Amino acid sequence: GIGGASKDGILIKGSNYIETLASAKYVVFDKTGTVTQGVFEVTKVTPNLMTEEELLEYAALAESYSTHPISKSLKKACGKELDINQVSDVQEISGHGVTANVMGKSVAVGNEKLMNKFEVPYAQTDSVGTQVYVAVDGVFAGSIVISDKIKPSAKTAMEELKKAGVKKLVMLTGDAKNVAEYVAAELGIDEVYSELLPADKVTKVEAMLAQKGEKEQLVFVGDGVNDAPVLSRADVGIAMGAIGSDAAIEAADIVLMDDDPAKIAKAMKHSKKCMRIVYQNIYFAIGIKVLCLIFVAIGLANMWLAIFADVGVMVIAVINATRTLGIFKSLVGKGK
């Protein structure tokens, strides 16, 4: 079963995860890079007491040492070569943003939590997207709206998961409430929790683990370094392998090499098929041996029947098990 899945870019780190995935009833998603492409673009710039070019330059320089997709979009929007020698004392505050000394000025770039932390009055915008606020020397310098695109296969993935027997789809994100609710509505996700810190995600998942049934399993799907604790805590952790962080890939039990969320439902169907074959082999092997014992008891068994009950059953079970190698490919070919 592991070999059959790996042919199509799904790496499963152990057979126990196939069994657990087959019983999954709750699937929890991170947003950025998981159900969205993680390719951010600046869609609106609202400066305060400075020009748009200056606002973008301050924001891009402050974020120049970060590899976060939002940071990359700010650098791209700035549109010029950045002199990182003008940046010092960079500090990243998890779930808030970054602070840095830029050209001799104290700059804070992040969400509303960061502005509240430094008690900077700011003006919100109504645009749908990630709101990035910038403060220079403790004064609100403006806001930047950055939008992410939903992955083309994400909506289909949610529909297929429902068909595969998943009871509830949940999304956990540190993004703003309006953005999270918009994405959840577009994809048909049942529950959404926004503006969460990494520790908050763990708390939410633990609460869901406590509420689920004994035979029900919870799957978490993520890609960032902040998702690593949640991936470890869930019954099954699935990481996006192409853009996922090393920490997330290491902590995950299953890795999707092409970052396609539609592969989650296919992996679940693959796991269920594998488990059906496992039980077929168990019932077949035990049934034949019990039948053989009955024949022995009534004096109808011979050496050939004994050999078939032992070696013959083993060979048939192995041949039946090899069907798992072609299952996943056939599912993909039929679009299931």
Side-chain angles (χ1 to χ4, degrees), residues 92-319:
E92 186 165 352
I93 304 173
S94 181
H96 291 68
V98 300
T99 61
N101 187 294
V102 179
M103 296 182 285
K105 295 184 178 182
S106 177
V107 178
V109 181
N111 55 26
E112 56 188 25
K113 294 178 183 177
L114 187 66
M115 297 296 105
N116 292 332
K117 180 181 178 68
F118 292 106
E119 299 179 349
V120 176
Y122 61 95
Q124 291 183 321
T125 64
D126 297 328
S127 302
V128 176
T130 301
Q131 311 287 334
V132 177
Y133 301 104
V134 182
V136 178
D137 285 338
V139 178
F140 179 60
S143 63
I144 302 169
V145 179
I146 300 173
S147 298
D148 191 7
K149 295 180 180 178
I150 296 174
K151 289 183 178 179
S153 62
K155 188 175 179 63
T156 303
M158 304 305 158
E159 294 170 353
E160 290 298 319
L161 283 170
K162 286 286 188 180
K163 291 178 184 178
V166 174
K167 290 170 60 175
K168 185 180 287 187
L169 300 172
V170 183
M171 187 172 74
L172 307 179
T173 178
D175 215 335
K177 184 178 180 180
N178 66 329
V179 179
E181 290 179 349
Y182 170 78
V183 173
E186 285 289 308
L187 299 179
I189 292 174
D190 302 311
E191 289 183 12
V192 57
Y193 299 94
S194 57
E195 300 177 3
L196 300 176
L197 297 173
D200 297 331
K201 291 183 180 181
V202 177
T203 303
K204 289 290 184 185
V205 166
E206 287 181 341
M208 285 184 267
L209 287 169
Q211 293 172 1
K212 70 180 179 65
E214 185 178 346
K215 294 184 179 181
E216 296 176 334
Q217 307 297 335
L218 183 144
V219 176
F220 181 82
V221 188
D223 71 303
V225 64
N226 291 335
D227 296 326
V230 201
L231 288 165
S232 300
R233 186 67 187 87
D235 294 319
V236 178
I238 301 179
M240 298 295 173
I243 64 171
S245 69
D246 292 342
I249 293 170
E250 180 69 25
D253 307 309
I254 299 173
V255 180
L256 306 181
M257 296 310 297
D258 59 0
D259 294 348
D260 184 1
K263 290 285 180 73
I264 302 168
K266 291 171 183 175
M268 283 186 62
K269 292 176 183 178
H270 177 61
S271 298
K272 289 180 179 181
K273 184 73 173 181
C274 287
M275 293 310 300
R276 284 198 294 272
I277 291 174
V278 167
Y279 288 123
Q280 286 170 10
N281 285 344
I282 292 172
Y283 296 147
F284 175 70
I286 294 176
I288 292 296
K289 290 182 185 296
V290 169
L291 191 62
C292 183
L293 287 173
I294 293 172
F295 285 156
V296 168
I298 60 178
L300 296 179
N302 56 27
M303 181 63 70
W304 291 110
L305 181 61
I307 292 172
F308 173 76
D310 184 25
V311 179
V313 167
M314 182 271 292
V315 171
I316 292 172
V318 169
I319 293 172

Side-chain angles (χ1 to χ4, degrees), residues 8 43 47 80 86 91 184 213 271 284:
D8 283 273
T43 56
K80 62 180 181 180
Q86 299 181 84
Q91 182 181 3
S271 298
F284 175 70

Side-chain angles (χ1 to χ4, degrees), residues 8 156 160 163 266 269 273 276 323 326-336:
D8 283 273
T156 303
E160 290 298 319
K163 291 178 184 178
K266 291 171 183 175
K269 292 176 183 178
K273 184 73 173 181
R276 284 198 294 272
R323 289 167 52 211
I327 289 170
F328 194 78
K329 190 171 183 179
S330 65
L331 285 173
V332 174
K334 295 176 183 177
K336 295 183 181 178

